[in-house]
Amino acid sequence: MKFSESEENYIKGIYALQQKSKRVNTNSLASLLETSAASITDMLKKLKSKKLLDYKKYHGFRLNEEGNREALKIIRRHRLWEYFLVSKLGMDWEKIHDIAEELEHVSSKELIDRLDQFLGNPTRDPHGDPIPNEFGIMPEVNQISLKDLQLKRSARISSVSDQSPELMEMLNNYGIRIGTPIKVLQSFDFDGSLKVKIARQPDQMISGLAAENIFVYDY
Amino acid sequence: MKFSESEENYIKGIYALQQKSKRVNTNSLASLLETSAASITDMLKKLKSKKLLDYKKYHGFRLNEEGNREALKIIRRHRLWEYFLVSKLGMDWEKIHDIAEELEHVSSKELIDRLDQFLGNPTRDPHGDPIPNEFGIMPEVNQISLKDLQLKRSARISSVSDQSPELMEMLNNYGIRIGTPIKVLQSFDFDGSLKVKIARQPDQMISGLAAENIFVYDY
DNA sequence: AAATAATTTTAGACAAATCTAAAAAATATT
DNA sequence: AATATTTTTTAGATTTGTCTAAAATTATTT
Ligand SMILES: [Mn+2]
Ligand SMILES: [Mn+2]
Ligand SMILES: [Mn+2]
Ligand SMILES: [Mn+2]
């Protein structure tokens, strides 16, 4: 089935929130999509009628099998385009998300599978997020948030939240990229700030909020 | 200013029809866009109010300076994406038009200028149509329709109408591509059919309607 | 120059996606 | 357990883009 741009954005939003909590609620989706709760309810009815959603009034909702499949297709398109924008067009990682937000809605399967091949079947997008393959299989990730990394453990940046160009701008400033070695030296209870060592740079401080949005491979 | 996908499709349609006749009329645009005459009138009002259109009720319409500029931007995006689909992803020329019809609405200027550079600043799309540069300058074309080519003149295919995958399917069958040498040997008054010599192949017949939609450089 | 035909516009309706304000239901607090 | 608060849904509008049928205008034919 074909879905509208709006429907696709809602599907993707629900998928994202499902990763954090079993059932999703109206308000959290409204705030993610920057829309009103009433609009969410309207769309829930539609997605339910299209059989993508398990939804019981007043008791949250989640994508069913079919809905998840659809979400993975959209995410695949989004992340492949992001990879293209960086690897082929040389764009900066803080600019690509908004453009991919539009490109993801062009839904020719042949286009996307050929793009995938052209790019060399990448498994991670420029923010470190896994790219589903053409069968909708998402590569596994075992990463933890930087804020949960044990003191003095050697780790590498695996991914960063793709939700904020402002975060990426700051990470550029820290010299943080996907793959950069990092170690937490000290944690401050006052506000969750961390003292970190990034690659071979001198020790630096990083805020708790930033640390929450940075993920690492611990090994 | 930003325009909706619909507005952009109308702008592009008007631009195309303007190439054939000074002023455009409601019914021809309706038939090009496969929509009703009433919908055309509705959109004309909107485009006029947005100052893209010179429009007088019952007396046709055409894009003004600003409207033409906007049309050229959309055409540039469309043709660059078509070039990408063929040159980088290896898609067939009869499949690309519909996909570019969607991709053309992603309007980041930086994206398109980088794509242009990545592709090596091509001047023709896979159907032989000229690609406007980043300043909206359209490369010149001096081509004539195959049906107007003098008998026995050596010519080469310069472009083919991009409006019909069915035509392209047939051209594949004839072995016709952009650049293929062609010569008209005889013209039949009965239905405008032509006897042609394509490259080094044996003589073949081609219909008048096909000939109208094939363009050549005459030299 | 009427009458007729063709073209274009208007009137009115509808679906999709959104909103605000009010009502209903669920949850938390006393 | 009753009340207050929060969350969610519904009711009713609005905008965009579309449609059909009818009216208005222009063009063509007699
Ligand atoms: Mn999107
Ligand atoms: Mn990403
Ligand atoms: Mn289009
Ligand atoms: Mn083309």
Side-chain angles (χ1 to χ4, degrees):
Chain A
M1 211 193 267
K2 267 278 244 141
F3 300 98
S4 73
E5 189 160 329
S6 263
E7 288 168 335
E8 291 188 342
N9 286 334
Y10 279 84
I11 292 167
K12 199 158 56 94
I14 296 168
Y15 185 94
L17 293 176
Q18 270 177 191
Q19 308 314 301
K20 309 215 158 182
S21 63
K22 216 98 231 288
R23 282 187 97 74
V24 182
N25 33 275
T26 304
N27 273 346
S28 35
L29 186 55
S31 104
L32 180 70
L33 300 183
E34 296 179 275
T35 185
S36 72
S39 301
I40 301 297
T41 304
D42 288 344
M43 186 59 92
L44 293 176
K45 287 178 193 161
K46 197 179 343 169
L47 294 180
K48 179 172 187 179
S49 85
K50 294 196 174 184
K51 305 218 189 301
L52 297 179
L53 205 62
D54 163 14
Y55 166 46
K56 264 165 217 113
K57 265 197 208 172
Y58 291 103
H59 289 89
F61 46 91
R62 58 181 291 113
L63 296 169
N64 61 21
E65 193 67 5
E66 183 61 28
N68 276 307
R69 246 199 306 279
E70 200 53 43
L72 285 163
K73 283 189 208 166
I74 304 163
I75 290 166
R76 170 170 159 82
R77 299 196 294 254
H78 183 105
R79 293 181 181 168
L80 283 173
W81 281 119
E82 284 193 342
Y83 191 96
F84 169 77
L85 294 174
V86 168
S87 73
K88 300 294 182 178
L89 302 193
M91 296 188 77
D92 298 333
W93 70 347
E94 68 267 31
K95 291 187 185 158
I96 58 178
H97 183 81
D98 288 346
I99 296 175
E101 204 55 53
E102 301 185 49
L103 286 167
E104 70 187 358
H105 304 292
V106 177
S107 64
S108 157
K109 174 153 167 58
E110 183 181 356
L111 165 65
I112 294 303
D113 290 344
R114 281 180 183 266
L115 178 64
D116 190 12
Q117 187 173 29
F118 174 62
L119 298 175
N121 309 105
T123 57
R124 297 295 157 100
D125 84 3
H127 306 103
D129 290 313
I131 302 176
N133 72 12
E134 70 169 304
F135 307 110
I137 309 293
M138 185 84 100
E140 220 190 312
V141 258
N142 13 20
Q143 59 181 17
I144 58 172
S145 171
L146 180 61
K147 76 167 197 299
D148 300 324
L149 181 63
Q150 276 190 301
L151 295 187
K152 312 259 167 82
R153 298 275 296 181
S154 287
R156 277 171 192 274
I157 305 295
S158 60
S159 75
V160 306
S161 161
D162 63 353
Q163 294 304 304
S164 157
E166 293 78 12
L167 171 65
M168 288 171 241
E169 187 199 3
M170 190 168 77
L171 296 182
N172 287 344
N173 191 260
Y174 275 108
I176 287 177
R177 312 223 177 309
I178 305 302
T180 304
I182 192 167
K183 196 180 286 194
V184 177
L185 303 174
Q186 199 174 348
S187 168
F188 295 93
D189 289 339
F190 171 64
D191 61 357
S193 289
L194 303 176
K195 179 154 62 162
V196 295
K197 182 158 182 65
I198 297 164
R200 288 194 179 68
Q201 302 175 35
D203 303 350
Q204 290 184 83
M205 294 292 285
I206 193 164
S207 79
L209 185 59
E212 264 181 60
N213 287 287
I214 297 171
F215 299 86
V216 299
Y217 294 124
D218 178 9
Y219 39 49
Chain B
M1 213 195 265
K2 267 277 243 140
F3 300 99
S4 74
E5 190 160 328
S6 262
E7 289 168 335
E8 290 188 343
N9 285 334
Y10 279 84
I11 292 167
K12 198 157 58 91
I14 297 168
Y15 185 93
L17 293 176
Q18 270 177 190
Q19 310 312 302
K20 309 217 156 179
S21 63
K22 216 97 229 288
R23 282 187 96 75
V24 181
N25 34 273
T26 304
N27 272 347
S28 34
L29 186 55
S31 103
L32 180 70
L33 300 183
E34 295 180 278
T35 185
S36 73
S39 301
I40 302 296
T41 304
D42 288 344
M43 187 59 92
L44 293 176
K45 287 178 193 162
K46 191 166 7 156
L47 294 180
K48 179 173 187 177
S49 84
K50 293 195 175 185
K51 305 219 188 302
L52 297 179
L53 204 61
D54 163 14
Y55 167 46
K56 266 164 215 110
K57 266 197 208 171
Y58 291 105
H59 290 90
F61 45 90
R62 59 180 291 115
L63 296 170
N64 62 19
E65 193 67 4
E66 183 60 29
N68 276 307
R69 245 199 306 280
E70 200 53 43
L72 286 163
K73 282 188 208 167
I74 305 163
I75 290 166
R76 170 170 161 81
R77 298 195 293 254
H78 183 104
R79 293 182 181 168
L80 283 173
W81 280 119
E82 282 193 344
Y83 191 95
F84 169 77
L85 294 174
V86 169
S87 73
K88 300 294 182 178
L89 302 193
M91 295 187 77
D92 298 331
W93 70 347
E94 69 267 31
K95 290 185 185 159
I96 59 178
H97 183 82
D98 288 346
I99 296 175
E101 204 54 54
E102 300 185 49
L103 286 166
E104 69 188 359
H105 302 293
V106 178
S107 64
S108 157
K109 173 152 169 58
E110 182 181 355
L111 165 65
I112 295 304
D113 291 344
R114 280 180 184 267
L115 178 64
D116 190 12
Q117 186 175 28
F118 173 61
L119 298 175
N121 309 105
T123 57
R124 297 295 158 99
D125 84 3
H127 306 103
D129 290 313
I131 303 176
N133 71 12
E134 70 170 304
F135 307 110
I137 308 294
M138 185 85 99
E140 221 190 311
V141 258
N142 12 19
Q143 58 181 17
I144 57 172
S145 172
L146 180 61
K147 77 169 199 295
D148 300 325
L149 181 63
Q150 277 191 299
L151 295 187
K152 312 260 166 83
R153 300 273 297 180
S154 286
R156 278 171 191 274
I157 305 292
S158 61
S159 76
V160 306
S161 161
D162 63 353
Q163 294 305 304
S164 157
E166 293 78 12
L167 171 65
M168 288 172 241
E169 188 200 3
M170 191 168 76
L171 297 182
N172 287 343
N173 193 261
Y174 275 108
I176 287 177
R177 311 222 178 310
I178 305 302
T180 304
I182 192 167
K183 197 180 286 194
V184 177
L185 303 174
Q186 197 174 348
S187 169
F188 295 93
D189 290 338
F190 172 64
D191 62 357
S193 288
L194 302 177
K195 179 154 63 161
V196 295
K197 183 157 183 66
I198 297 163
R200 288 196 178 66
Q201 301 175 36
D203 302 351
Q204 291 185 81
M205 295 291 285
I206 193 165
S207 80
L209 185 59
E212 264 180 59
N213 287 286
I214 297 171
F215 299 85
V216 299
Y217 294 123
D218 177 11
Y219 39 50

